[in-house]
Amino acid sequence: MAKASGFFTPSLRTKIQPSIGVSRSGFCLSEGIFKRVVCSSGIESAGTHVSSSQSRIPKLVNKGCKLVGCGSAVPSLSVSNDDLAKIVDTSDEWISVRTGIRNRRVISGKENLRNLAVEAAKKALKMANVEPDDLDLILLCTSTPEDIFGDAPKVQRELGCTKSQLAHDITAACSGFVLGLFSASCYIKGGGFRNVLVIGADVMSRFVDWTDRGTCILFGDAAGAVVLQACDAEEDGLLSFDLHSDGEGARHLGAPINDNENGSVLEFPPNRPSYACIQMNGKEVFRFAVRCVPQSIESALEKAGLTASNIDWLLLHQANQRIIDAVATRLEFPPEKVISNLANYGNTSAASIPLALDEAVRSGKVKPGHTITAAGFGAGLTWGSAVIRWG
């Protein structure tokens, strides 16, 4: 990425402030020293007390929210490293040593993003014992929709919702699911919603150049979902967030429209555009992740009033095992407290965190009351962390 004065410098935390965050006591605006909006007593900043009646910021609903269900879905076709070695110059050893990935799932036949999203959602609703019509909101976190205008309303329809609940997409690539959790918490804590379904789903295989061994080895398709439910404030399970984006780094990871297909300004009608395959500078993305993600997690923990020793599980976006290991080492998380299913599915973008969470919950690894630090990071560039309690 940039030189000493550029994008990923040691002074990045200063550069990106203020950041958005949420703590158990309300919304936070971070400006070096965190300024906290406290639901019950107004604003606290630099030793100055302002009562809630004096504040121009609307008082938040005195509610918490908790995770009550999860589900996931993956395509039927499994593509191994040996399979890829038949179409591109690579090998199982080359891929596994550099990434930790051995297999990935890829859509085929009649499978598509909506199929996966609906299947994952149904499993989450069943675990939560919530009917589709009891949902107030559906958030579909995806960068690869079937329809350019979004798929959430179509997922809503296929789930059998009949009350015209709100449903919309969130596009933030591999950080999408963390942004979805944040949005859901805002709707519940600030808007009075009761049941919110958050789905992370992506079919990255459609945007992969299968002749480029630098990217085709990394990505897979999947969906994961969670149900968030309103609860009393003292039972709140979404403890804090730390969220960022910086377009300066977008050149290192993206899938832009092919400029050469748009025609000149003198041509009308313009040519129908198409998106390029995923383009990534792996070394720069690695540097970005191992520097920014630990900072974000530390910030989220500070907002929650916790330390790494209070956390039961570290759950990172499943991009590369070397990134996961590097972040865990920097934060001093022991390997046995790190959740990873990357070897079986590869990088599934917005689906990776809920997919890994669902497997960990259903296997009995994650139990009710366990506290998890989760972080997403990727194209945009976007990155963010959440401290959550399961159940």
Side-chain angles (χ1 to χ4, degrees):
M1 288 178 190
K3 304 286 191 270
S5 60
F7 181 52
F8 298 122
T9 70
S11 61
L12 180 141
R13 279 190 80 175
T14 303
K15 180 180 177 181
I16 60 177
Q17 301 296 345
S19 67
I20 298 172
V22 168
S23 73
R24 280 173 287 187
S25 56
F27 286 84
C28 304
L29 178 63
S30 172
E31 296 181 1
I33 297 175
F34 299 119
K35 295 182 179 180
R36 184 169 297 174
V37 180
V38 182
C39 298
S40 60
S41 60
I43 302 175
E44 296 174 355
S45 175
T48 302
H49 177 76
V50 181
S51 69
S52 58
S53 61
Q54 294 173 305
S55 173
R56 293 185 179 183
I57 300 177
K59 184 176 180 180
L60 301 177
V61 177
N62 189 26
K63 282 287 185 183
C65 57
K66 57 184 179 181
L67 293 158
V68 295
C70 59
S72 61
V74 296
S76 57
L77 176 62
S78 179
V79 178
S80 68
N81 291 345
D82 289 332
D83 292 330
L84 288 181
K86 298 175 182 177
I87 62 173
V88 68
D89 181 19
T90 190
S91 67
D92 175 65
E93 181 182 10
W94 193 91
I95 298 171
S96 59
V97 167
R98 287 164 177 78
T99 69
I101 301 169
R102 292 191 175 277
N103 297 283
R104 72 281 299 145
R105 298 296 185 94
V106 176
I107 58 170
S108 61
K110 295 183 179 180
E111 295 172 328
N112 58 41
L113 178 122
R114 285 199 294 271
N115 297 155
L116 297 175
V118 169
E119 182 181 346
K122 287 180 176 178
K123 292 176 180 177
L125 290 169
K126 183 177 180 180
M127 180 184 289
N129 196 26
V130 171
E131 295 297 324
D133 274 342
D134 292 331
L135 291 171
D136 301 303
L137 171 68
I138 298 172
L139 299 173
L140 177 59
C141 309
T142 184
S143 298
T144 56
E146 303 290 326
D147 188 319
I148 193 172
F149 296 121
D151 277 327
K154 298 181 180 68
V155 170
Q156 174 194 43
R157 178 196 63 199
E158 294 184 28
L159 286 174
C161 301
T162 63
K163 295 184 178 180
S164 299
Q165 305 97 319
L166 176 62
H168 66 83
D169 287 22
I170 292 176
T171 302
C174 304
S175 303
F177 182 74
V178 174
L179 269 291
L181 289 180
F182 173 74
S183 299
S185 72
C186 291
Y187 277 106
I188 292 174
K189 295 179 180 181
F193 286 44
R194 179 156 183 81
N195 294 303
V196 178
L197 173 66
V198 180
I199 307 168
D202 270 308
V203 286
M204 304 303 291
S205 62
R206 289 176 172 168
F207 297 93
V208 166
D209 178 356
W210 292 99
T211 67
D212 175 16
R213 74 170 185 173
T215 56
C216 76
I217 64 173
L218 299 174
F219 296 97
D221 305 332
V226 296
V227 176
L228 283 75
Q229 193 168 78
C231 63
D232 293 335
E234 59 269 20
E235 298 176 354
D236 188 21
L238 272 71
L239 309 183
S240 68
F241 291 88
D242 181 77
L243 308 171
H244 303 277
S245 64
D246 195 326
E248 284 294 322
R251 64 189 183 278
H252 298 302
L253 178 57
I257 284 180
N258 284 312
D259 291 333
N260 60 348
E261 294 183 5
N262 291 337
S264 71
V265 294
L266 299 178
E267 294 178 353
F268 186 84
N271 294 328
R272 180 180 177 181
S274 64
Y275 287 95
C277 291
I278 296 170
Q279 301 169 5
M280 184 178 71
N281 183 329
K283 290 182 179 179
E284 297 299 342
V285 172
F286 181 89
R287 291 174 186 173
F288 147 68
V290 299
R291 176 174 295 171
C292 295
V293 173
Q295 292 177 350
S296 178
I297 290 173
E298 288 171 344
S299 179
L301 288 171
E302 185 175 357
K303 292 171 186 177
L306 300 173
T307 65
S309 62
N310 302 127
I311 303 300
D312 295 296
W313 300 103
L314 176 66
L315 174 52
L316 302 180
H317 164 53
Q318 306 289 289
N320 184 306
Q321 192 62 46
R322 292 195 298 172
I323 293 176
I324 295 172
D325 293 342
V327 173
T329 298
R330 178 165 174 178
L331 294 171
E332 298 183 346
F333 273 92
E336 61 271 18
K337 294 177 66 174
V338 179
I339 296 173
S340 176
N341 66 354
L342 177 71
N344 295 324
Y345 303 108
N347 181 343
T348 57
S349 192
S352 75
I353 292 176
L355 172 62
L357 175 64
D358 182 51
E359 289 196 340
V361 169
R362 292 180 185 273
S363 69
K365 179 180 291 187
V366 171
K367 302 181 185 301
H370 279 186
T371 303
I372 304 164
T373 294
F377 50 91
L381 291 170
T382 62
W383 66 104
S385 303
V387 180
I388 60 180
R389 182 183 299 116
W390 173 254

